[in-house]
Amino acid sequence: MTISSAPFPMKTAGSQIPDDSAAKVCRDISGCDLLFMMAREGFPSWFRSDMELRGSRASPCNPAGRMIKYGPRSFPTLPEATVTDSGPQPQNAGEQHSPPLTTRTSIGQASRWRRHFVYRTECLKTTWKCRLAILIFVILLASLTRGFWIPSLGRSLTCTEEVGPSDAILVENFDPNYLLFERAAALEKAGLSARVLVPTEASRLDPEVANTVSQGIAELMARVARVQNLKIIPRRDIEPISLNVAYQIRDFLTKESLRSVIVVAPAFRSRRSSLVYRAVLRPAGIQVYCMPVLGGHTPENWTATWHGIEDVTEQFIKLQFYRFYVLPLARGGVAAPARITEP
């Protein structure tokens, strides 16, 4: 048996192999490509039979006895060679590399375009057990500290009571409330002011005239509360309503040469009313006082009923809306143009 070996793809070295013998190219499992030229006549008959049996399954030889390429799957990209009796011959490069190169080029181009629109990232998400534990912790914390945050939240919506001798008493009559008229009558009786101003909804036909029904309700509550000197001011509900009504009141006070006013408002609305009227009236030189009026709900017990929770939640959201969005419009000195709301 004649065996010659050389590193692939170098030409084989050693003695001649007969022309009628078969050759096989084997790869060393260690990764080094060696070319073994082995004459079949030197192998035992049982080894030749085994090679012929394997060759029938893997087809390493063609019918003429010449060897074709044979490579393991673990090295698909390494160059292969076709070995014939005349020596190793390289395979057609275009036939070997064109399909993988085209595929890799397409994938690379798609990746370059995709990075402008989408990207892949890794994130952590909480489990339902973690979310449930957080919810239970928040509920327990709110329950244990309710004696602190419930009155604090209620007081944050209520203005500080501050009164003094004024030219007028202004009753906020957005939602008719008899307690406001009763407090205005008490202030009038105490001699803090001789005039009580009540803005009421204006008529849709004539904005300078108060709506008959709204005016009748206001006059009825004033009469029951024993308000002596009542003045109805027609108001146009233009969003944002509180800001634009404050501008209308400013125009009336400036026209009547009134330099101070006491604003009587519901308790949980009073902080917002105080901020709005002071932002609008102070630049005009008008002093603003605030008188909050408590009803059935107080800063300490507003969570006792669903109506109290609804009222506090609504007034808290509106306070933040006016504080961070609407009041910057008031500082500009011009009322924002907006639509007139339907009655």
Side-chain angles (χ1 to χ4, degrees):
M1 178 181 65
T2 303
I3 301 176
S4 61
S5 62
F8 186 82
M10 297 178 59
K11 295 182 178 180
T12 59
S15 59
Q16 290 283 342
I17 296 177
D19 294 337
D20 59 346
S21 63
K24 182 175 179 58
V25 178
C26 300
R27 288 186 189 273
D28 186 69
I29 61 175
S30 62
C32 299
D33 292 331
L34 299 179
L35 181 63
F36 295 91
M37 305 298 293
M38 298 173 292
R40 286 180 53 188
E41 288 77 12
F43 290 94
S45 59
W46 61 268
F47 188 80
R48 292 200 304 270
S49 301
D50 183 71
M51 288 185 63
E52 290 173 357
L53 179 61
R54 295 191 179 189
S56 64
R57 292 196 301 263
S59 301
C61 304
N62 58 17
R66 297 180 181 274
M67 300 304 298
I68 61 175
K69 70 174 183 177
Y70 180 79
R73 294 185 179 181
S74 59
F75 300 93
T77 59
L78 294 177
E80 301 290 348
T82 301
V83 180
T84 63
D85 292 341
S86 60
Q89 297 179 0
Q91 189 184 6
N92 189 340
E95 180 181 349
Q96 177 183 0
H97 297 289
S98 296
L101 181 59
T102 304
T103 304
R104 288 194 296 270
T105 304
S106 302
I107 294 175
Q109 292 176 353
S111 300
R112 285 195 298 268
W113 279 103
R114 191 183 300 115
R115 66 186 179 87
H116 295 289
F117 301 97
V118 296
Y119 67 93
R120 181 178 298 175
T121 184
E122 182 179 354
C123 63
L124 298 177
K125 291 186 177 181
T126 58
T127 61
W128 67 270
K129 296 179 181 179
C130 180
R131 293 191 290 267
L132 180 60
I134 293 174
L135 178 61
I136 294 175
F137 174 76
V138 171
I139 293 175
L140 290 176
L141 182 63
S143 178
L144 294 175
T145 59
R146 64 193 309 268
F148 169 76
W149 62 267
I150 287 179
S152 298
L153 181 58
R155 285 191 291 267
S156 69
L157 302 176
T158 305
C159 71
T160 303
E161 181 176 334
E162 182 183 6
V163 295
S166 304
D167 296 332
I169 299 172
L170 177 65
V171 177
E172 276 206 333
N173 191 39
F174 294 105
D175 297 319
N177 186 350
Y178 172 75
L179 296 178
L180 302 181
F181 290 86
E182 192 175 63
R183 182 60 57 88
L187 294 175
E188 183 185 34
K189 186 176 181 180
L192 295 177
S193 180
R195 304 180 66 176
V196 178
L197 310 178
V198 181
T200 57
E201 186 180 345
S203 174
R204 286 192 296 178
L205 300 178
D206 187 0
E208 302 299 327
V209 178
N211 181 275
T212 304
V213 176
S214 299
Q215 180 177 354
I217 294 174
E219 290 177 346
L220 174 62
M221 289 190 291
R223 185 166 57 252
V224 174
R226 293 183 173 83
V227 175
Q228 301 298 324
N229 190 5
L230 179 67
K231 173 62 177 179
I232 300 294
I233 303 176
R235 74 166 193 269
R236 292 170 295 166
D237 291 341
I238 304 174
E239 295 182 353
I241 296 177
S242 296
L243 177 63
N244 285 282
V245 169
Y247 283 121
Q248 298 173 40
I249 297 299
R250 180 195 63 182
D251 296 339
F252 177 84
L253 296 178
T254 303
K255 181 180 178 181
E256 297 292 328
S257 300
L258 302 177
R259 312 310 301 173
S260 59
V261 63
I262 301 175
V263 179
V264 181
F268 295 137
R269 182 192 172 92
S270 60
R271 175 61 61 87
R272 175 160 57 100
S273 299
S274 176
L275 292 176
V276 171
Y277 281 108
R278 287 177 179 176
V280 173
L281 301 182
R282 279 186 174 178
I286 300 174
Q287 179 67 33
V288 178
Y289 299 100
C290 182
M291 171 58 69
V293 178
L294 294 172
H297 301 121
T298 64
E300 289 75 21
N301 68 355
W302 58 269
T303 57
T305 63
W306 284 110
H307 289 286
I309 297 174
E310 178 185 6
D311 187 21
V312 169
T313 303
E314 178 185 4
Q315 296 302 331
F316 179 80
I317 295 174
K318 287 185 176 181
L319 174 62
Q320 309 312 319
F321 173 69
Y322 271 80
R323 174 176 289 167
F324 296 108
Y325 179 75
V326 177
L327 288 184
L329 300 178
R331 295 188 186 99
V334 179
R339 63 182 180 87
I340 299 177
T341 58
E342 295 294 334

